[in-house]
Amino acid sequence: MDAIGATTPVGIRDRAVLLLLATTGIRNGELRAIRLRDIDWRTGEVFVRRTKGKRDRVVPLLEETGAALADYILRARPRVDSPYLFLSFTPPVGPFKCAAPVSRIVRKRLRHGGVELGRVAGAHLLRHSLATQLVGQRRPINEVADLLGHRSINTTALYVKVAASQLAEVALPFPGGVA
């Protein structure tokens, strides 16, 4: 994040985009659907709509991310009549209409920060990284599933590629004796 120059409107926006993706685990489409009214500054939460599972959810807004969003809204967001939080600076100014611009922002900023990227890298990489980090911190898998909006813990376990050694540590003994 430190590699992103937050001195230009584009830099300020891109930093807010990356922080929101990296700290909440929201998907590209969910980010593009966020409206200004979806941020609850008092409770430190973001209402996420239009999810893949067709269920709205609320994600926590960390202080650093909230500060970056406020900076973007107050100093960098184009002054146009749009309810959407993130806007393109390329005319016609408005919300991102597809996933490609957000993925380009992520790839560009990660490369600029010295991160080696594979063939597929975009907003999903940050979602996967957050989930993996939370599992590595031994956060309860149901907590990770809730944050990501997964209905099934099995989806989360596959998604974050939980290490077999970590699963062995929390496994219950086999009923009736040795497994």
Side-chain angles (χ1 to χ4, degrees), residues 126-141:
L126 297 177
R127 178 177 166 85
H128 182 85
S129 296
L130 175 65
T132 303
Q133 181 182 34
L134 293 173
V135 169
Q137 293 171 356
R138 310 237 188 270
R139 299 300 284 267
I141 197 81

Side-chain angles (χ1 to χ4, degrees), residues 20-177:
L20 191 60
L21 289 168
T23 61
T24 62
I26 62 175
R27 296 174 179 94
N28 188 323
E30 295 167 347
L31 176 110
R32 290 182 283 117
I34 293 174
R35 296 170 184 245
L36 291 166
R37 68 173 186 209
D38 294 335
I39 303 169
D40 189 331
W41 298 102
R42 292 192 197 291
T43 62
E45 296 175 328
V46 178
F47 184 73
V48 181
R49 61 182 79 240
R50 296 189 195 166
T51 67
K52 183 177 176 183
K54 306 288 188 253
R55 294 182 311 151
D56 296 339
R57 70 181 190 282
V58 175
V59 295
L61 182 62
L62 299 183
E63 188 175 336
E64 181 183 10
T65 305
L69 289 176
D71 190 35
Y72 164 67
I73 292 167
L74 296 173
R75 294 191 325 136
R77 187 176 180 275
R79 305 279 185 236
V80 297
D81 187 26
S82 174
Y84 292 96
L85 174 61
F86 291 111
L87 303 175
S88 168
F89 287 97
T90 308
V93 173
F96 297 119
K97 300 213 185 304
C98 64
V102 175
S103 292
R104 274 194 299 272
I105 288 169
V106 172
R107 281 194 308 272
K108 173 186 170 186
R109 297 304 181 168
L110 290 177
R111 278 192 191 113
H112 186 259
V115 177
E116 294 287 328
L117 300 175
R119 187 177 60 83
V120 178
H124 196 77
L125 176 65
L126 297 177
R127 178 177 166 85
H128 182 85
S129 296
L130 175 65
T132 303
Q133 181 182 34
L134 293 173
V135 169
Q137 293 171 356
R138 310 237 188 270
R139 299 300 284 267
I141 197 81
N142 60 331
E143 183 181 303
V144 178
D146 287 345
L147 179 67
L148 299 177
H150 289 162
R151 290 183 185 176
S152 167
I153 290 174
N154 293 333
T155 303
T156 308
L158 292 171
Y159 186 88
V160 296
K161 298 178 181 155
V162 177
S165 63
Q166 288 174 314
L167 288 175
E169 289 177 23
V170 298
L172 297 172
F174 185 76

